[in-house]
Amino acid sequence: MKEQLSPEKILNLSRTFMQSRILLSGAELDLFTELGPQPLTAEETATRTGYHLRPLTYLLDVLAALEFLDKKEGRYQTQPSLLPFLSSDSENSILPMLLHAAHIWKSWSTLTEVVRETGGPDRAPGTAWKDETAQKAFIGAMHVVGSRHAGSVAASVGAGGARSLIDVGGGSGTYTIAFLRANPEMKAAIFDLPQVTEMARARLSEAGLLERTTVVPGDLYADDLPGGHDLAFVSAIIHMNSPEQNLALYRKVFAALESGGRIVIRDHVMKPDKTEPLAGAVFAINMLVGTPGGGTYTFEEIRAPLAEAGFVRIRQLQDSDQMLGLVEGFKP
C-alpha cells in the first residue's frame, strides 16, 4: 500500500529540488574533483578556482552538511568513498550523468509553460546534442550506468541461437559487449551517429571484441539499418520517439532482420493506467519537456505498432520498475 501524503510530506516534496540544485552546482563547478586529492580551506579553493569566496563557502558548508564533503578544522575534502563516483578523473565517475541532469534542469523548468502554452519543444529528431563534448560525456556515463545491468539483461534476453546481432542506437557498445561475451559465436553490428560510433569502436577495441563487430555510422531517422541479422536490440530508444516515429523504426528493424529474427526492446514498460512504475511516469515528463513527441509506453502501445510493422508472437519478456522492461517480437 502506498504511503498516504500529508501536508508535511507535500511541503517536503516541494523543497527536494533545493538539495538537488546544491549537488548539481557542486558537479558543474567540479568541486568534488578539486577537493579530492587534499583538504582545502574555502579561501584556498576560491584562489585555485577563481570562484567568489562568500557563495563558495556557503556551498561548501551545505555540501558538507549533506555528507558529500568532509569538513575538519575549516578544511573541506570530498568523502573518500564517493570520490570514485564524483571525480572527473575516475573511470567509474557518474559526474557526467550529474552534468546531464544539470543540462536538463532548464528544460524541466519549462514544464508549466509546456502544459499551458507551448505543448512541448519544437526541434527535429536527433538534434538534442549541440555540444559534442557534452554528448561524449553523457554516452560515457551511460556506459558506467548501463554496465551494471548489461550482463543480466543479455542473460534475460538470451541469444536463442542468434548469430548476428544489430544493436540499434547502441551508444558506445555497452550491451553489444555483454551479448558478445555471453555468446562467443555471435557477431554484431552497432548502428549510431558517427561521433558515437567512434566511441564504440574504441570501447570494443579495448574489450577485445572489435573484430567481431561491424560499426555502422548513420542517422536512425534518415537512414536504413544494415540487414542480415537474426537479433535486433533496441535499447532506451523508443521513449525518445512519438508513436509514429516508433512505427517507422520498427519497420526499419523488420527489414533488417532475417526471417525468424527477433526484436527485443529495452525501456520503461508502463502499466495500463500509466501511473506505474513511478520511475516511468517521471521519465515521461523528461521526454515531454525534452522531445517533440517522446514519452513512456504501455505494453499495448508497444505491441500494436510492432504488429503493424509485421512482427508476431509479441510478448513482454521482463517486467521492471526501472528502464529494464523487455518486449520481444519475431519476424515471420
Side-chain angles (χ1 to χ4, degrees), residues 139-324:
I139 295 294
M142 290 298 290
H143 170 72
V144 173
V145 174
S147 60
R148 302 174 188 173
H149 306 292
S152 62
V153 168
S156 296
V157 171
R163 292 300 187 97
S164 180
L165 164 75
I166 179 167
D167 192 348
V168 181
S172 64
T174 307
Y175 283 91
T176 295
I177 290 170
F179 275 104
L180 292 179
R181 285 177 172 168
N183 303 282
E185 302 302 317
M186 179 181 283
K187 293 187 177 181
I190 291 184
F191 183 92
D192 213 315
L193 295 169
Q195 60 270 30
V196 178
T197 53
E198 287 307 307
M199 297 173 63
R201 192 183 302 277
R203 194 175 301 285
L204 285 158
S205 179
E206 182 181 341
L209 296 169
L210 185 57
E211 291 185 358
R212 292 169 59 194
T213 310
T214 303
V215 180
V216 184
D219 184 339
L220 194 59
Y221 300 97
D223 301 323
D224 292 332
L225 299 173
H229 308 283
D230 48 12
L231 176 61
F233 190 57
V234 182
S235 177
I237 298 294
I238 67 170
H239 60 247
M240 298 188 295
N241 295 338
S242 67
E244 295 77 15
Q245 289 170 327
N246 279 329
L247 175 58
L249 171 62
Y250 299 153
R251 284 173 170 158
K252 288 184 178 184
V253 174
F254 189 88
L257 285 171
E258 298 289 334
S259 180
R262 178 169 60 139
I263 183 175
V264 177
I265 297 166
R266 178 187 76 87
D267 218 295
H268 287 293
V269 181
M270 302 300 294
K271 302 298 183 186
D273 71 355
K274 289 201 169 183
T275 65
E276 294 181 275
L278 173 60
V282 172
F283 196 81
I285 299 298
N286 194 36
M287 294 298 97
L288 173 68
V289 300
T291 67
T296 52
Y297 297 100
T298 65
F299 169 71
E300 179 57 27
E301 289 172 329
I302 298 170
R303 186 205 65 78
L306 280 172
E308 187 174 348
F311 288 98
V312 297
R313 293 159 52 201
I314 302 162
R315 69 183 182 111
Q316 186 166 350
L317 189 63
Q318 177 171 290
D319 193 12
S320 175
D321 59 0
Q322 300 298 317
M323 198 186 295
L324 295 170

Side-chain angles (χ1 to χ4, degrees), residues 54-236:
R54 179 174 175 270
L56 175 63
T57 304
Y58 275 84
L59 182 56
L60 293 175
D61 281 337
V62 73
L63 286 170
L66 291 169
E67 300 183 346
F68 292 104
L69 303 178
D70 282 330
K71 183 181 182 182
K72 296 177 182 177
E73 298 179 353
R75 293 180 176 272
Y76 306 86
Q77 189 170 25
T78 304
Q79 286 273 10
S81 63
L82 299 180
L83 190 59
F85 311 112
L86 295 178
S87 171
S88 59
D89 300 329
S90 171
E91 292 184 359
N92 295 318
S93 179
I94 63 169
L95 188 62
M97 287 296 290
L98 297 181
L99 295 176
H100 177 64
H103 172 75
I104 65 175
W105 178 280
K106 291 181 180 179
S107 60
W108 271 80
S109 298
T110 68
L111 177 57
T112 303
E113 286 70 28
V114 165
V115 175
R116 183 168 55 197
E117 299 171 13
T118 67
D122 182 17
R123 62 171 179 79
T127 60
W129 294 106
K130 297 180 180 179
D131 183 343
E132 286 193 17
T133 301
Q135 182 187 45
K136 183 176 181 180
F138 175 68
I139 295 294
M142 290 298 290
H143 170 72
V144 173
V145 174
S147 60
R148 302 174 188 173
H149 306 292
S152 62
V153 168
S156 296
V157 171
R163 292 300 187 97
S164 180
L165 164 75
I166 179 167
D167 192 348
V168 181
S172 64
T174 307
Y175 283 91
T176 295
I177 290 170
F179 275 104
L180 292 179
R181 285 177 172 168
N183 303 282
E185 302 302 317
M186 179 181 283
K187 293 187 177 181
I190 291 184
F191 183 92
D192 213 315
L193 295 169
Q195 60 270 30
V196 178
T197 53
E198 287 307 307
M199 297 173 63
R201 192 183 302 277
R203 194 175 301 285
L204 285 158
S205 179
E206 182 181 341
L209 296 169
L210 185 57
E211 291 185 358
R212 292 169 59 194
T213 310
T214 303
V215 180
V216 184
D219 184 339
L220 194 59
Y221 300 97
D223 301 323
D224 292 332
L225 299 173
H229 308 283
D230 48 12
L231 176 61
F233 190 57
V234 182
S235 177

